[in-house]
Coordinates of all heavy atoms in Angstrom, one line a residue:
M1 N -30.1 6.1 -13.0 CA -29.1 6.2 -12.0 C -29.3 5.2 -10.9 O -30.4 4.9 -10.5 CB -29.2 7.6 -11.4 CG -27.8 8.2 -11.1 SD -27.7 9.9 -10.6 CE -26.7 9.6 -9.2
S2 N -28.2 4.6 -10.4 CA -28.2 3.6 -9.4 C -28.6 4.3 -8.0 O -28.1 5.4 -7.7 CB -26.8 3.0 -9.3 OG -26.8 2.1 -8.1
T3 N -29.4 3.5 -7.2 CA -29.7 4.0 -5.9 C -29.0 3.2 -4.8 O -29.3 3.3 -3.7 CB -31.2 3.9 -5.7 OG1 -31.6 2.6 -5.9 CG2 -32.0 4.9 -6.6
I4 N -28.1 2.4 -5.2 CA -27.3 1.6 -4.3 C -26.4 2.5 -3.4 O -25.6 3.3 -4.0 CB -26.5 0.5 -5.0 CG1 -27.4 -0.5 -5.8 CG2 -25.6 -0.3 -4.0 CD1 -26.6 -1.4 -6.7
D5 N -26.5 2.4 -2.1 CA -25.6 3.1 -1.2 C -24.3 2.4 -1.1 O -24.2 1.2 -0.8 CB -26.2 3.2 0.2 CG -27.4 4.2 0.2 OD1 -27.3 5.2 -0.6 OD2 -28.3 4.0 1.0
R6 N -23.2 3.2 -1.4 CA -21.9 2.6 -1.3 C -21.1 3.4 -0.3 O -21.2 4.6 -0.2 CB -21.2 2.7 -2.7 CG -21.8 1.8 -3.7 CD -20.9 1.6 -4.9 NE -21.4 0.6 -5.9 CZ -22.0 0.9 -7.0 NH1 -22.2 2.2 -7.3 NH2 -22.4 0.0 -7.8
I7 N -20.2 2.6 0.4 CA -19.2 3.3 1.2 C -17.9 3.3 0.5 O -17.6 2.4 -0.4 CB -19.1 2.6 2.6 CG1 -18.6 1.2 2.5 CG2 -20.3 2.8 3.4 CD1 -18.2 0.6 3.8
E8 N -17.1 4.3 0.7 CA -15.8 4.5 0.0 C -14.7 4.2 1.0 O -14.7 4.7 2.1 CB -15.7 5.9 -0.5 CG -14.4 6.2 -1.2 CD -14.4 7.7 -1.6 OE1 -15.2 8.1 -2.4 OE2 -13.6 8.4 -1.0
I9 N -13.8 3.3 0.6 CA -12.6 3.0 1.4 C -11.4 3.6 0.6 O -11.2 3.1 -0.5 CB -12.4 1.5 1.7 CG1 -13.6 1.0 2.5 CG2 -11.1 1.3 2.5 CD1 -13.7 -0.5 2.6
Q10 N -10.6 4.5 1.2 CA -9.5 5.0 0.5 C -8.2 4.3 0.8 O -7.9 4.0 2.0 CB -9.3 6.5 0.9 CG -10.5 7.4 0.5 CD -10.2 8.9 0.8 OE1 -9.3 9.2 1.5 NE2 -11.1 9.7 0.2
I11 N -7.5 3.9 -0.2 CA -6.2 3.2 0.0 C -5.1 4.2 -0.2 O -4.9 4.8 -1.3 CB -6.0 2.1 -1.1 CG1 -7.2 1.2 -1.1 CG2 -4.7 1.3 -0.9 CD1 -7.4 0.4 0.1
R12 N -4.4 4.6 0.9 CA -3.4 5.6 0.9 C -2.1 5.1 1.4 O -2.0 4.2 2.2 CB -3.9 6.7 1.9 CG -5.0 7.6 1.3 CD -5.4 8.7 2.3 NE -6.4 9.6 1.8 CZ -6.2 10.6 0.9 NH1 -4.9 10.9 0.6 NH2 -7.2 11.3 0.5
C13 N -1.0 5.8 0.9 CA 0.3 5.6 1.5 C 0.2 5.9 3.0 O -0.4 6.9 3.4 CB 1.3 6.5 0.8 SG 2.9 6.6 1.7
P14 N 0.8 5.1 3.9 CA 0.7 5.3 5.3 C 1.7 6.4 5.8 O 1.7 6.8 7.0 CB 1.1 4.0 5.9 CG 2.1 3.4 4.9 CD 1.5 3.8 3.6
N15 N 2.4 7.0 4.9 CA 3.6 7.8 5.3 C 3.5 9.2 4.6 O 2.9 9.3 3.6 CB 4.9 7.1 4.8 CG 6.1 7.5 5.7 OD1 5.9 8.0 6.8 ND2 7.2 7.3 5.1
G16 N 4.1 10.2 5.2 CA 4.3 11.5 4.6 C 3.0 12.1 4.1 O 2.1 12.2 4.9
P17 N 2.9 12.6 2.9 CA 1.7 13.3 2.4 C 0.5 12.3 2.1 O -0.5 12.7 1.8 CB 2.2 13.9 1.1 CG 3.3 13.1 0.7 CD 4.0 12.6 1.9
Q18 N 0.7 11.0 2.3 CA -0.3 10.0 2.2 C -1.0 10.0 0.9 O -2.2 10.2 0.8 CB -1.3 10.2 3.4 CG -0.6 10.1 4.7 CD -1.5 9.7 5.8 OE1 -2.7 10.1 5.9 NE2 -1.0 8.8 6.7
R19 N -0.2 9.8 -0.2 CA -0.8 9.8 -1.5 C -1.9 8.8 -1.6 O -1.9 7.7 -1.1 CB 0.4 9.3 -2.5 CG -0.1 8.9 -3.9 CD 0.9 8.0 -4.6 NE 2.2 8.7 -4.7 CZ 2.6 9.3 -5.8 NH1 1.9 9.2 -6.9 NH2 3.8 9.9 -5.9
L20 N -3.0 9.2 -2.3 CA -4.1 8.3 -2.6 C -3.9 7.4 -3.7 O -3.6 7.9 -4.9 CB -5.4 9.1 -2.8 CG -6.7 8.4 -3.1 CD1 -7.1 7.5 -2.0 CD2 -7.8 9.3 -3.5
F21 N -3.8 6.1 -3.5 CA -3.6 5.1 -4.6 C -4.8 4.7 -5.3 O -4.9 4.6 -6.5 CB -2.9 3.8 -4.0 CG -1.5 4.0 -3.5 CD1 -1.2 3.7 -2.2 CD2 -0.5 4.4 -4.4 CE1 0.1 3.8 -1.8 CE2 0.8 4.5 -3.9 CZ 1.1 4.2 -2.6
M22 N -5.9 4.4 -4.5 CA -7.1 4.0 -5.1 C -8.2 4.1 -4.1 O -8.0 4.3 -2.9 CB -7.0 2.6 -5.7 CG -6.9 1.5 -4.6 SD -7.1 -0.2 -5.3 CE -5.5 -0.5 -5.8
K23 N -9.5 3.9 -4.6 CA -10.6 3.9 -3.7 C -11.3 2.5 -3.9 O -11.5 2.1 -5.1 CB -11.6 5.0 -4.0 CG -11.0 6.4 -3.7 CD -12.0 7.5 -4.1 CE -11.4 8.8 -3.8 NZ -12.2 9.9 -4.3
L24 N -11.8 1.9 -2.8 CA -12.6 0.8 -3.0 C -14.0 1.2 -2.7 O -14.3 1.9 -1.7 CB -12.2 -0.3 -1.9 CG -10.8 -0.9 -2.0 CD1 -10.7 -1.9 -0.8 CD2 -10.6 -1.6 -3.3
L25 N -15.0 0.8 -3.5 CA -16.4 1.1 -3.3 C -17.1 -0.2 -2.9 O -16.9 -1.2 -3.5 CB -17.0 1.7 -4.6 CG -16.4 3.0 -5.1 CD1 -17.0 3.4 -6.4 CD2 -16.5 4.1 -4.0
S26 N -17.8 -0.1 -1.8 CA -18.4 -1.2 -1.2 C -19.9 -0.9 -0.9 O -20.2 0.2 -0.5 CB -17.7 -1.6 0.1 OG -18.4 -2.6 0.8
T27 N -20.7 -1.9 -0.9 CA -22.1 -1.8 -0.5 C -22.3 -1.9 1.0 O -23.4 -1.9 1.5 CB -23.0 -2.7 -1.2 OG1 -22.5 -4.1 -1.0 CG2 -23.1 -2.4 -2.7
G28 N -21.2 -2.1 1.7 CA -21.2 -2.2 3.2 C -20.8 -3.5 3.7 O -20.3 -3.6 4.8
E29 N -21.0 -4.6 3.0 CA -20.5 -5.9 3.4 C -19.0 -5.9 3.4 O -18.4 -5.6 2.3 CB -21.0 -7.0 2.5 CG -22.5 -7.2 2.5 CD -22.9 -8.2 3.6 OE1 -22.2 -9.1 3.8 OE2 -23.9 -7.9 4.2
R30 N -18.3 -6.2 4.5 CA -16.9 -6.2 4.5 C -16.4 -7.5 3.8 O -17.0 -8.6 4.1 CB -16.3 -6.2 5.9 CG -16.4 -4.8 6.6 CD -15.8 -4.8 8.0 NE -14.3 -4.9 7.9 CZ -13.6 -3.8 7.7 NH1 -14.1 -2.6 7.6 NH2 -12.3 -3.9 7.7
P31 N -15.4 -7.4 2.9 CA -14.9 -8.6 2.2 C -14.3 -9.5 3.3 O -13.7 -9.1 4.3 CB -13.9 -8.1 1.2 CG -13.6 -6.7 1.7 CD -14.7 -6.2 2.5
T32 N -14.3 -10.8 3.0 CA -13.7 -11.8 3.9 C -12.2 -11.6 3.7 O -11.7 -11.7 2.6 CB -14.1 -13.2 3.5 OG1 -15.6 -13.2 3.6 CG2 -13.5 -14.2 4.4
V33 N -11.5 -11.5 4.8 CA -10.0 -11.3 4.7 C -9.4 -12.6 5.2 O -9.6 -13.0 6.4 CB -9.5 -10.1 5.5 CG1 -8.0 -10.0 5.5 CG2 -10.2 -8.8 5.0
V34 N -8.6 -13.2 4.4 CA -7.8 -14.4 4.8 C -6.4 -13.9 4.9 O -5.8 -13.4 3.9 CB -7.9 -15.5 3.7 CG1 -7.0 -16.7 4.2 CG2 -9.3 -15.9 3.5
P35 N -5.8 -13.9 6.1 CA -4.5 -13.3 6.3 C -3.5 -13.8 5.3 O -3.4 -15.0 5.0 CB -4.1 -13.7 7.7 CG -5.4 -13.9 8.4 CD -6.4 -14.4 7.4
D36 N -2.7 -12.9 4.7 CA -1.6 -13.2 3.8 C -2.1 -13.8 2.4 O -1.3 -14.1 1.6 CB -0.6 -14.2 4.4 CG 0.1 -13.6 5.6 OD1 0.3 -12.4 5.7 OD2 0.4 -14.4 6.6
L37 N -3.4 -13.8 2.2 CA -3.8 -14.2 0.9 C -4.4 -12.9 0.2 O -5.0 -12.0 0.9 CB -4.9 -15.2 0.9 CG -4.5 -16.6 1.2 CD1 -5.7 -17.5 1.2 CD2 -3.5 -17.2 0.2
N38 N -4.3 -12.8 -1.1 CA -5.0 -11.8 -1.9 C -4.6 -10.4 -1.4 O -5.4 -9.5 -1.2 CB -6.5 -11.9 -1.8 CG -6.9 -13.3 -2.3 OD1 -6.4 -13.8 -3.3 ND2 -7.9 -13.9 -1.6
L39 N -3.3 -10.2 -1.3 CA -2.8 -8.8 -0.9 C -2.8 -8.0 -2.2 O -2.4 -8.5 -3.3 CB -1.5 -8.9 -0.3 CG -1.4 -9.6 1.1 CD1 0.0 -9.5 1.6 CD2 -2.4 -9.0 2.1
M40 N -3.1 -6.7 -2.1 CA -2.9 -5.7 -3.1 C -1.5 -5.1 -2.9 O -1.3 -4.6 -1.8 CB -4.0 -4.7 -3.2 CG -5.3 -5.3 -3.4 SD -6.6 -4.0 -3.4 CE -6.7 -3.5 -1.8
E41 N -0.7 -5.0 -3.9 CA 0.7 -4.5 -3.7 C 0.8 -3.2 -4.6 O 0.6 -3.3 -5.8 CB 1.7 -5.5 -4.1 CG 3.1 -5.1 -3.9 CD 4.1 -6.1 -4.3 OE1 4.5 -6.9 -3.4 OE2 4.5 -6.2 -5.5
L42 N 1.2 -2.1 -4.0 CA 1.3 -0.9 -4.7 C 2.7 -0.3 -4.5 O 3.2 -0.2 -3.4 CB 0.3 0.1 -4.3 CG -1.1 -0.3 -4.6 CD1 -2.2 0.3 -3.7 CD2 -1.5 0.0 -6.0
A43 N 3.4 0.0 -5.6 CA 4.7 0.7 -5.5 C 4.5 2.2 -5.2 O 3.7 2.8 -5.8 CB 5.5 0.5 -6.8
C44 N 5.3 2.7 -4.2 CA 5.1 4.1 -3.8 C 6.3 4.9 -4.1 O 7.4 4.7 -3.5 CB 4.8 4.1 -2.3 SG 4.4 5.7 -1.7
S45 N 6.2 5.8 -5.0 CA 7.3 6.6 -5.4 C 7.6 7.7 -4.4 O 8.7 8.1 -4.3 CB 7.0 7.3 -6.8 OG 5.8 8.0 -6.8
D46 N 6.6 8.1 -3.6 CA 6.8 9.1 -2.5 C 7.8 8.5 -1.5 O 8.8 9.2 -1.1 CB 5.5 9.5 -1.8 CG 4.7 10.4 -2.7 OD1 5.1 10.8 -3.8 OD2 3.5 10.6 -2.3
C47 N 7.5 7.3 -1.0 CA 8.4 6.7 0.0 C 9.7 6.4 -0.6 O 10.7 6.6 0.1 CB 7.7 5.4 0.6 SG 6.3 5.8 1.7
A48 N 9.8 5.9 -1.8 CA 11.0 5.5 -2.4 C 11.9 6.8 -2.5 O 13.1 6.7 -2.2 CB 10.8 4.9 -3.8
R49 N 11.3 7.9 -3.0 CA 12.1 9.1 -3.2 C 12.7 9.6 -1.8 O 13.8 9.9 -1.7 CB 11.2 10.2 -3.8 CG 12.0 11.4 -4.2 CD 11.1 12.5 -4.8 NE 10.0 12.0 -5.7 CZ 8.7 12.0 -5.4 NH1 8.3 12.6 -4.3 NH2 7.9 11.5 -6.2
Q50 N 11.8 9.5 -0.8 CA 12.2 10.0 0.5 C 13.3 9.1 1.1 O 14.3 9.6 1.6 CB 11.0 10.0 1.4 CG 11.3 10.7 2.8 CD 10.1 10.7 3.7 OE1 9.0 10.3 3.3 NE2 10.3 11.3 4.9
M51 N 13.2 7.8 1.0 CA 14.1 6.9 1.6 C 15.4 6.8 0.8 O 16.5 6.5 1.4 CB 13.5 5.5 1.8 CG 12.3 5.5 2.7 SD 11.3 4.1 2.7 CE 12.1 3.2 4.1
K52 N 15.4 7.1 -0.5 CA 16.6 7.0 -1.3 C 17.6 8.2 -0.9 O 18.8 8.1 -1.1 CB 16.3 7.2 -2.8 CG 15.9 5.9 -3.4 CD 15.5 6.1 -4.9 CE 15.0 4.8 -5.5 NZ 14.6 5.0 -6.9
K53 N 17.0 9.2 -0.2 CA 17.9 10.3 0.3 C 18.9 9.8 1.3 O 20.0 10.3 1.4 CB 17.1 11.4 0.9 CG 16.2 12.2 -0.1 CD 15.4 13.2 0.6 CE 14.5 14.0 -0.4 NZ 13.5 14.8 0.3
T54 N 18.5 8.8 2.1 CA 19.4 8.3 3.1 C 20.1 7.0 2.8 O 21.0 6.6 3.4 CB 18.7 8.2 4.5 OG1 17.5 7.4 4.3 CG2 18.3 9.6 5.0
D55 N 19.5 6.3 1.8 CA 20.1 5.0 1.4 C 20.0 4.8 -0.1 O 18.9 4.5 -0.7 CB 19.4 3.8 2.1 CG 20.2 2.5 2.0 OD1 20.9 2.3 1.0 OD2 20.1 1.7 3.0
K56 N 21.1 4.9 -0.8 CA 21.0 4.8 -2.3 C 20.8 3.4 -2.8 O 20.6 3.3 -4.0 CB 22.4 5.4 -2.8 CG 22.7 6.8 -2.4 CD 22.1 7.8 -3.4 CE 22.6 9.2 -3.1 NZ 21.4 10.1 -2.8
D57 N 20.9 2.4 -2.0 CA 20.7 1.0 -2.4 C 19.2 0.6 -2.5 O 18.9 -0.5 -2.9 CB 21.4 0.1 -1.5 CG 22.9 0.2 -1.6 OD1 23.4 0.7 -2.7 OD2 23.6 -0.1 -0.6
I58 N 18.3 1.6 -2.2 CA 16.9 1.3 -2.3 C 16.4 1.4 -3.8 O 16.7 2.4 -4.4 CB 16.1 2.2 -1.4 CG1 16.4 1.8 0.1 CG2 14.6 2.1 -1.7 CD1 15.7 2.8 1.1
F59 N 15.7 0.4 -4.3 CA 15.2 0.4 -5.6 C 13.8 0.9 -5.6 O 13.4 1.8 -6.4 CB 15.3 -1.0 -6.3 CG 14.7 -1.0 -7.7 CD1 15.2 -0.2 -8.7 CD2 13.7 -1.9 -8.0 CE1 14.7 -0.3 -10.0 CE2 13.2 -2.0 -9.3 CZ 13.7 -1.2 -10.2
R60 N 12.9 0.3 -4.8 CA 11.5 0.8 -4.7 C 11.0 0.4 -3.3 O 11.5 -0.4 -2.6 CB 10.7 0.2 -5.8 CG 10.5 -1.3 -5.8 CD 9.4 -1.7 -6.8 NE 9.7 -1.2 -8.1 CZ 9.5 -1.9 -9.2 NH1 9.0 -3.1 -9.2 NH2 9.7 -1.4 -10.4
V61 N 9.8 1.0 -3.0 CA 9.1 0.8 -1.8 C 7.7 0.3 -2.1 O 7.0 1.0 -3.0 CB 9.1 2.0 -0.8 CG1 8.2 1.7 0.4 CG2 10.5 2.4 -0.4
L62 N 7.3 -0.8 -1.5 CA 5.9 -1.3 -1.8 C 5.1 -1.3 -0.5 O 5.6 -1.4 0.6 CB 6.1 -2.8 -2.2 CG 7.0 -3.1 -3.4 CD1 7.1 -4.7 -3.5 CD2 6.6 -2.5 -4.7
H63 N 3.8 -1.0 -0.7 CA 2.8 -1.1 0.4 C 1.9 -2.2 0.0 O 1.4 -2.3 -1.2 CB 2.0 0.2 0.6 CG 2.9 1.4 0.9 ND1 3.8 1.4 1.9 CD2 2.9 2.6 0.4 CE1 4.4 2.5 2.0 NE2 3.9 3.3 1.1
R64 N 1.6 -3.1 0.9 CA 0.7 -4.3 0.7 C -0.5 -4.1 1.6 O -0.4 -3.9 2.8 CB 1.4 -5.6 1.0 CG 2.5 -5.9 -0.1 CD 3.3 -7.1 0.3 NE 4.4 -7.3 -0.8 CZ 5.5 -8.0 -0.6 NH1 5.7 -8.6 0.6 NH2 6.3 -8.2 -1.6
Y65 N -1.7 -4.2 0.9 CA -3.0 -4.0 1.6 C -3.8 -5.3 1.5 O -3.8 -6.0 0.4 CB -3.8 -2.9 1.0 CG -3.0 -1.6 1.0 CD1 -2.1 -1.3 0.0 CD2 -3.2 -0.6 2.0 CE1 -1.4 -0.1 0.1 CE2 -2.6 0.6 2.1 CZ -1.6 0.8 1.1 OH -0.9 2.0 1.1
A66 N -4.6 -5.6 2.5 CA -5.6 -6.7 2.4 C -6.8 -6.1 1.6 O -6.9 -4.9 1.3 CB -6.1 -7.0 3.8
I67 N -7.6 -7.0 1.2 CA -8.7 -6.6 0.2 C -9.8 -5.8 0.9 O -10.6 -5.2 0.2 CB -9.4 -7.8 -0.5 CG1 -9.8 -8.9 0.6 CG2 -8.4 -8.5 -1.5 CD1 -10.7 -9.9 -0.1
D68 N -9.7 -5.6 2.2 CA -10.6 -4.7 2.9 C -10.0 -3.3 3.0 O -10.6 -2.4 3.6 CB -11.1 -5.2 4.3 CG -9.9 -5.2 5.3 OD1 -8.8 -5.0 4.9 OD2 -10.2 -5.4 6.5
G69 N -8.8 -3.1 2.4 CA -8.1 -1.8 2.4 C -7.2 -1.6 3.6 O -6.6 -0.5 3.6
S70 N -7.1 -2.5 4.5 CA -6.2 -2.3 5.6 C -4.7 -2.6 5.2 O -4.4 -3.6 4.5 CB -6.6 -3.1 6.8 OG -6.6 -4.5 6.5
L71 N -3.8 -1.8 5.7 CA -2.4 -1.9 5.4 C -1.8 -3.2 6.1 O -2.1 -3.3 7.4 CB -1.6 -0.7 5.8 CG -0.1 -0.7 5.5 CD1 0.1 -0.6 4.1 CD2 0.6 0.4 6.3
V72 N -1.2 -4.0 5.4 CA -0.6 -5.2 6.0 C 0.9 -5.0 6.3 O 1.4 -5.3 7.4 CB -0.8 -6.4 5.1 CG1 -0.1 -7.7 5.7 CG2 -2.3 -6.7 5.0
E73 N 1.6 -4.6 5.3 CA 3.1 -4.3 5.5 C 3.6 -3.5 4.4 O 3.0 -3.3 3.4 CB 3.8 -5.7 5.5 CG 3.7 -6.4 4.2 CD 4.3 -7.8 4.3 OE1 4.5 -8.3 5.4 OE2 4.4 -8.4 3.2
S74 N 4.8 -2.9 4.7 CA 5.5 -2.2 3.7 C 6.9 -2.9 3.5 O 7.4 -3.5 4.4 CB 5.8 -0.7 4.1 OG 4.5 -0.1 4.2
V75 N 7.4 -2.8 2.3 CA 8.6 -3.6 1.9 C 9.6 -2.7 1.2 O 9.2 -2.0 0.3 CB 8.2 -4.8 1.0 CG1 9.4 -5.6 0.6 CG2 7.1 -5.6 1.7
I76 N 10.8 -2.8 1.5 CA 11.9 -2.1 0.7 C 12.4 -3.2 -0.3 O 12.7 -4.3 0.1 CB 13.0 -1.7 1.6 CG1 12.6 -0.5 2.5 CG2 14.2 -1.2 0.8 CD1 13.6 -0.1 3.5
V77 N 12.5 -2.8 -1.5 CA 13.1 -3.7 -2.5 C 14.5 -3.0 -2.8 O 14.5 -1.9 -3.2 CB 12.3 -3.8 -3.8 CG1 13.0 -4.7 -4.8 CG2 10.9 -4.3 -3.5
W78 N 15.5 -3.8 -2.6 CA 16.9 -3.3 -2.8 C 17.3 -3.4 -4.3 O 16.7 -4.2 -5.0 CB 17.9 -4.0 -1.9 CG 17.4 -3.9 -0.4 CD1 16.7 -4.8 0.3 CD2 17.7 -2.8 0.5 NE1 16.5 -4.3 1.6 CE2 17.1 -3.1 1.7 CE3 18.4 -1.6 0.3 CZ2 17.1 -2.3 2.8 CZ3 18.4 -0.7 1.4 CH2 17.8 -1.1 2.7
I79 N 18.3 -2.7 -4.7 CA 18.8 -2.8 -6.1 C 19.3 -4.2 -6.4 O 19.4 -4.5 -7.6 CB 19.8 -1.7 -6.4 CG1 21.0 -1.7 -5.5 CG2 19.2 -0.3 -6.5 CD1 22.1 -0.7 -5.8
D80 N 19.7 -5.0 -5.4 CA 20.1 -6.4 -5.7 C 18.8 -7.3 -5.7 O 19.0 -8.6 -5.8 CB 21.1 -6.9 -4.8 CG 20.6 -7.0 -3.3 OD1 19.4 -6.7 -3.1 OD2 21.4 -7.4 -2.4
E81 N 17.6 -6.8 -5.7 CA 16.3 -7.5 -5.8 C 15.9 -8.2 -4.5 O 14.9 -8.9 -4.5 CB 16.3 -8.4 -7.0 CG 16.4 -7.6 -8.3 CD 16.3 -8.5 -9.6 OE1 16.2 -9.8 -9.4 OE2 16.4 -8.0 -10.7
T82 N 16.7 -8.1 -3.4 CA 16.2 -8.7 -2.2 C 15.2 -7.7 -1.6 O 15.1 -6.5 -2.0 CB 17.4 -8.9 -1.2 OG1 18.0 -7.6 -0.9 CG2 18.4 -9.9 -1.7
E83 N 14.4 -8.2 -0.6 CA 13.4 -7.4 0.0 C 13.6 -7.4 1.5 O 14.0 -8.4 2.1 CB 12.0 -8.0 -0.3 CG 11.6 -8.0 -1.8 CD 10.2 -8.5 -2.0 OE1 9.6 -9.0 -1.0 OE2 9.7 -8.4 -3.1
T84 N 13.2 -6.3 2.1 CA 13.1 -6.2 3.6 C 11.8 -5.7 4.0 O 11.3 -4.6 3.6 CB 14.2 -5.2 4.1 OG1 15.5 -5.7 3.7 CG2 14.2 -5.2 5.6
V85 N 11.0 -6.5 4.8 CA 9.7 -6.0 5.3 C 10.0 -5.0 6.4 O 10.7 -5.3 7.4 CB 8.9 -7.2 5.8 CG1 7.6 -6.7 6.4 CG2 8.6 -8.2 4.7
I86 N 9.4 -3.9 6.3 CA 9.6 -2.8 7.3 C 8.4 -2.5 8.1 O 8.3 -1.5 8.8 CB 10.2 -1.5 6.6 CG1 9.3 -1.1 5.5 CG2 11.6 -1.8 6.1 CD1 9.7 0.3 4.9
G87 N 7.4 -3.3 8.0 CA 6.2 -3.1 8.8 C 5.2 -2.2 8.1 O 5.4 -1.8 7.0
G88 N 4.1 -1.8 8.8 CA 3.1 -1.1 8.2 C 3.0 0.4 8.5 O 2.1 1.0 8.0
F89 N 4.0 0.9 9.2 CA 4.1 2.3 9.6 C 3.0 2.7 10.6 O 2.9 3.8 11.0 CB 3.9 3.3 8.4 CG 5.1 3.3 7.5 CD1 5.0 2.7 6.2 CD2 6.3 3.8 7.9 CE1 6.0 2.7 5.3 CE2 7.4 3.8 7.0 CZ 7.2 3.3 5.7
E90 N 2.1 1.7 11.0 CA 1.0 2.1 11.8 C 1.1 1.3 13.2 O 1.6 0.3 13.2 CB -0.4 1.8 11.2 CG -0.6 2.8 10.0 CD -2.0 2.4 9.3 OE1 -2.3 1.3 9.2 OE2 -2.6 3.4 8.8
Ligands
ZN101 ZN1 4.4 5.3 0.6

């Protein structure tokens, strides 16, 4: 069994019930973050379902995270495939 101490960083939806997308396991060294490079993008069905109630033209909602797990921005993708950045909710 490994004796390496790891810290856990949870990647969650910033909104509503805050669905857990994934966990990052780290030995403690924070990864180097270069702004706007190497973002992780996750489609969120919870936000899409909620926002479609008021706007039927929404196709999906994406959350983008830096590699240290911090939320960078959220994006609405419309059914015509254009995107609108709506910020990070935080
Ligand atoms: Zn979400």
Side-chain angles (χ1 to χ4, degrees):
M1 220 172 125
S2 171
T3 57
I4 298 171
D5 286 330
R6 293 196 173 99
I7 59 168
E8 177 185 294
I9 300 169
Q10 297 187 345
I11 308 293
R12 288 183 176 274
C13 169
N15 205 21
Q18 306 205 315
R19 170 199 298 260
L20 177 63
F21 289 122
M22 69 168 86
K23 295 174 182 175
L24 300 177
L25 298 177
S26 168
T27 53
E29 293 273 323
R30 287 181 73 82
T32 302
V33 176
V34 180
D36 297 328
L37 286 180
N38 302 321
L39 297 182
M40 300 182 290
E41 181 179 272
L42 294 157
C44 185
S45 57
D46 286 352
C47 285
R49 190 180 320 112
Q50 188 178 1
M51 295 170 95
K52 281 178 183 176
K53 288 178 186 169
T54 53
D55 195 331
K56 302 273 187 239
D57 291 335
I58 292 174
F59 178 58
R60 64 172 53 142
V61 175
L62 308 173
H63 301 308
R64 291 174 178 159
Y65 301 84
I67 54 170
D68 68 350
S70 58
L71 182 69
V72 175
E73 62 190 12
S74 297
V75 180
I76 293 173
V77 181
W78 304 95
I79 54 176
D80 67 359
E81 297 183 0
T82 59
E83 296 184 354
T84 302
V85 175
I86 54 174
F89 291 110
E90 290 178 328

